[in-house]
């Protein structure tokens, strides 16, 4: 029996040649990689779940953190701050008093005397009176409503609001005049009289404006035109 014959073979099997069988370990690399990937995924899932739970119980990330660059002084934040500051300034800016506002009174109706009577009544309520006369051709006999209040865009939340308390139902219009404390009051076809003084004073008080005081008017607004002796204004004013 050859020395290469394994014991117990009884000579039945004989190993010849120069190649010999080798015993190899089973290849488990694929299982190791799969296990590592599975473990990593499990850890990631657990971490994400923990983060979500923290957000739920703490109310989530703050708005400042969520906006990132904007919260760190970005352009969006600066624009928002500027707009908020402008709105706050507009809200806190006090309204002008009647004595700070000059009202030009124009009559756009065929009825004479309304401009003079209305101007006198506004003067008695503390307003400064500017021009008094017939309405310009652009508005003469063309204002169908109670009246028209005209002022600069900046007067929309200032002088126009204050004068608007004196004429209910007046339409507001803006033009490009130089001052925001000069307002035109154009009397329209539906005009009967100014808002009752007690109601106008109450409206001013609610707006935080102290009602004005002035000399007593020479007459009260009415449908009857004044006599020529009582009014030096041009005809129909």
């Amino acid at each position: 029996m050859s020395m290469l014959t394994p014991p117990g073979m009884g000579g039945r099997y004989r190993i010849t040649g120069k190649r010999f069988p080798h015993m190899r370990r089973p290849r488990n690399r694929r299982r190791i990689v799969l296990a590592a990937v599975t473990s990593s995924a499990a850890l990631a899932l657990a971490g994400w779940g923990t983060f979500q739970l923290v957000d739920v119980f703490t109310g989530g990330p703050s708005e400042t953190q969520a906006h990132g660059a904007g919260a760190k002084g970005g352009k969006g934040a600066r624009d928002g701050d500027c707009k908020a500051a402008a709105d706050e300034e507009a809200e806190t800016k006090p309204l002008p008093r009647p004595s700070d506002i000059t009202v030009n009174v124009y009559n756009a109706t065929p009825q004479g005397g309304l401009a003079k009577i209305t101007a006198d009544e506004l003067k008695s309520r503390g307003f400064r009176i500017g021009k008094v006369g017939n309405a310009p051709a652009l508005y003469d006999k063309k204002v169908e409503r109670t009246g028209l209040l005209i002022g600069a865009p900046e007067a929309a939340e200032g002088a126009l609001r204050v004068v608007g308390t004196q004429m209910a139902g007046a339409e507001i219009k803006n033009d490009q005049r130089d001052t925001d404390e000069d307002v035109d009051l154009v009397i329209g076809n539906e005009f009967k009289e100014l808002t009752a003084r007690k109601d106008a004073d109450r409206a001013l008080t609610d707006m935080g404006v102290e009602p004005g005081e002035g000399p007593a008017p020479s007459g009260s607004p009415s449908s009857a035109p004044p006599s020529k002796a009582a009014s030096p204004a041009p005809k129909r004013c």
Side-chain angles (χ1 to χ4, degrees):
M1 182 174 62
S2 170
M3 295 180 63
L4 297 177
T5 302
M9 292 297 182
R12 296 178 58 186
Y13 302 96
R14 183 172 298 178
I15 298 174
T16 61
K18 298 180 179 180
R19 301 183 64 182
F20 301 94
H22 296 278
M23 301 299 290
R24 296 182 179 179
R25 291 184 179 181
R27 297 186 177 183
N28 294 326
R29 184 177 301 173
R30 182 177 300 175
R31 294 182 182 178
I32 295 174
V33 172
L34 181 61
V37 171
T38 303
S39 300
S40 299
L43 290 174
L45 183 61
W48 181 82
T50 303
F51 179 75
Q52 294 297 318
L53 288 175
V54 171
D55 277 354
V56 168
F57 288 103
T58 60
S62 66
E63 181 179 358
T64 302
Q65 294 173 339
H67 285 83
K72 296 179 180 179
K75 182 178 180 181
R78 291 196 300 271
D79 292 345
D81 292 343
C82 290
K83 185 177 185 303
D87 292 342
E88 183 178 357
E89 182 180 356
E91 292 177 358
T92 57
K93 183 179 179 180
L95 292 169
R97 298 170 298 177
S99 58
D100 297 328
I101 303 172
T102 298
V103 184
N104 305 309
V105 184
Y106 300 108
N107 184 7
T109 75
Q111 185 175 338
L114 292 182
K116 177 65 168 60
I117 294 175
T118 302
D120 288 346
E121 178 63 25
L122 288 173
K123 186 175 182 179
S124 74
R125 299 183 184 190
F127 291 90
R128 295 196 306 239
I129 302 300
K131 299 177 181 179
V132 178
N134 296 327
L138 179 62
Y139 302 112
D140 195 21
K141 301 183 181 67
K142 298 176 184 177
V143 179
E144 297 299 330
R145 300 178 61 176
T146 302
L148 181 64
L149 297 177
I150 309 172
E154 297 77 12
E157 294 300 322
L160 286 173
R161 283 188 62 191
V162 175
V163 179
T165 61
Q166 312 299 310
M167 179 181 277
E171 182 181 357
I172 304 296
K173 184 176 180 180
N174 297 127
D175 60 11
Q176 299 302 320
R177 64 187 62 201
D178 296 332
T179 175
D180 59 354
E181 294 183 351
D182 186 333
V183 173
D184 293 347
L185 185 153
V186 183
I187 301 172
N189 291 331
E190 295 182 3
F191 176 81
K192 301 300 181 183
E193 60 182 4
L194 294 174
T195 302
R197 182 161 185 169
K198 62 178 182 178
D199 296 331
D201 288 350
R202 185 182 304 113
L204 288 174
T205 302
D206 292 342
M207 293 163 54
V209 178
E210 183 179 356
E213 294 290 342
S218 57
S220 59
S222 65
S223 58
S227 64
K228 292 183 179 179
S231 175
K235 184 179 182 181
R236 196 172 63 82
C237 294

